[in-house]
Amino acid sequence: IIATIFFAFQIYCDFSGYSDIAIGSAKVMGFELMENFKRPYFSKSIGEFWKRWHISLSTWFKDYLYIPLGGNKVGKLRHYFNLFVTFLVSGLWHGANWTFVLWGALHGMYSVFGRMLAPLRKKLTAITHINKLPLLHKGLQIVLTFTMVSFAWIFFRANSINDAFYIVRHLFTDLGKATNFTYLVNSISVMGLTKFQLLVAAGGVALIEAVHLVERKGSVWDWLSSKPVLARWTAYSILLTATFWLAFSENNEFIYFQF
């Protein structure tokens, strides 16, 4: 479970990171590129997730596959078919491997069933009155969406179908030992992480989400610019130091370079 969650953030940081590099490089040369990620893990549904994740590719599939197939301007069954096919093709776009096909199929099913069950969700909301607790309601939606997306990432990351299903079968193995600190430390060691690396990873995830929370109200740079000079330059120095430290710690290619 820990590895699955961390991979969700790894692939986000990987792809969003080099998208930001491209956007920044283009801006230096006077070009404005579209934003490619908008806090996707704060999405309250799979549909919203795909409006926030890899926006350029999602838009391309929408314009050149989903809409030509008929989009949502058709009957329900055909609409569901169009959705499923679009996600299936998006899986194939990532590679001719059954793992990517299943990843796309999962998101297709998420989208189809999400629309099919919309009336039921409305009834449950009316019965439970959970909408009267908007923070809790939104939080549950975000957690559920993130869980579904993370589960699908298992198939995206796995080297083969067998590997993916092995991970799924063992996902909750020894879950009862999760409160055992020694067991957790040993599990982390098996994943190849030291305690320090785990702390850095967890701290990085926390920092990312903190930035995302700030971005909900506006640009993080505008927010930082409003702070005193000492606070600003302390933040700049920390970011610059972290950038150099991480850049030279290991030589890993971007995950998305293979696509």
Side-chain angles (χ1 to χ4, degrees):
I1 293 175
I2 294 172
T4 301
I5 293 172
F6 273 137
F7 178 73
F9 283 98
Q10 181 191 10
I11 195 167
Y12 168 69
C13 293
D14 178 276
F15 196 18
S16 178
Y18 88 65
S19 292
D20 288 341
I21 291 171
I23 291 170
S25 300
K27 198 163 189 175
V28 169
M29 295 183 285
F31 298 100
E32 290 288 339
L33 299 182
M34 68 182 295
E35 188 176 3
N36 214 20
F37 292 85
K38 291 183 178 179
R39 304 180 299 282
Y41 291 146
F42 277 94
S43 303
K44 300 186 293 296
S45 68
I46 293 297
E48 183 182 349
F49 173 80
W50 281 105
K51 291 177 182 177
R52 293 168 173 257
W53 178 277
H54 202 344
I55 299 169
S56 57
L57 183 65
S58 301
T59 303
W60 191 92
F61 274 114
K62 177 185 175 183
D63 292 343
Y64 294 100
L65 181 59
Y66 176 68
I67 291 177
L69 283 172
N72 60 357
K73 307 297 183 182
V74 290
K76 276 189 178 181
L77 288 178
R78 181 54 193 255
H79 178 209
Y80 297 154
F81 173 80
N82 294 344
L83 274 172
F84 187 78
V85 167
T86 301
F87 280 106
L88 198 64
V89 173
S90 75
L92 282 169
W93 179 88
H94 285 86
N97 191 318
W98 283 110
T99 54
F100 296 126
V101 173
L102 274 178
W103 172 78
L106 269 174
H107 275 279
M109 288 189 290
Y110 289 161
S111 298
V112 169
F113 283 109
R115 283 163 175 76
M116 289 175 65
L117 297 175
L120 178 61
R121 290 201 305 274
K122 287 182 179 179
K123 287 182 180 179
L124 287 174
T125 300
I127 293 170
T128 59
H129 301 291
I130 195 171
N131 55 328
K132 293 183 179 179
L133 299 169
L135 194 61
L136 175 62
H137 190 203
K138 185 177 180 180
L140 288 173
Q141 289 175 311
I142 290 172
V143 169
L144 179 59
T145 302
F146 177 74
T147 301
M148 293 166 68
V149 170
S150 297
F151 180 78
W153 282 136
I154 292 173
F155 294 89
F156 190 94
R157 173 62 182 85
N159 294 321
S160 67
I161 291 293
N162 288 336
D163 286 352
F165 281 111
Y166 176 85
I167 294 169
V168 171
R169 286 196 304 271
H170 293 82
L171 202 57
F172 300 104
T173 302
D174 294 332
L175 190 61
K177 298 179 181 178
T179 55
N180 187 319
F181 181 75
T182 304
Y183 176 79
L184 284 176
V185 170
N186 291 336
S187 299
I188 292 163
S189 298
V190 170
M191 289 192 295
L193 291 176
T194 64
K195 292 179 185 178
F196 176 71
Q197 288 172 327
L198 178 65
L199 286 173
V200 170
V205 170
L207 178 61
I208 289 167
E209 295 311 310
V211 169
H212 286 169
L213 286 171
V214 172
E215 285 182 332
R216 292 171 63 193
K217 297 182 179 179
S219 168
V220 69
W221 294 113
D222 291 342
W223 174 80
L224 193 58
S225 298
S226 66
K227 301 303 175 185
V229 174
L230 181 61
R232 291 204 310 271
W233 281 99
T234 299
Y236 298 153
S237 300
I238 291 172
L239 286 172
L240 191 61
T241 302
T243 300
F244 278 107
W245 177 61
L246 292 171
F248 293 107
S249 59
E250 287 186 33
N251 184 22
N252 292 324
E253 290 187 354
F254 287 109
I255 297 171
Y256 254 80
F257 271 4
Q258 63 183 296
F259 305 121

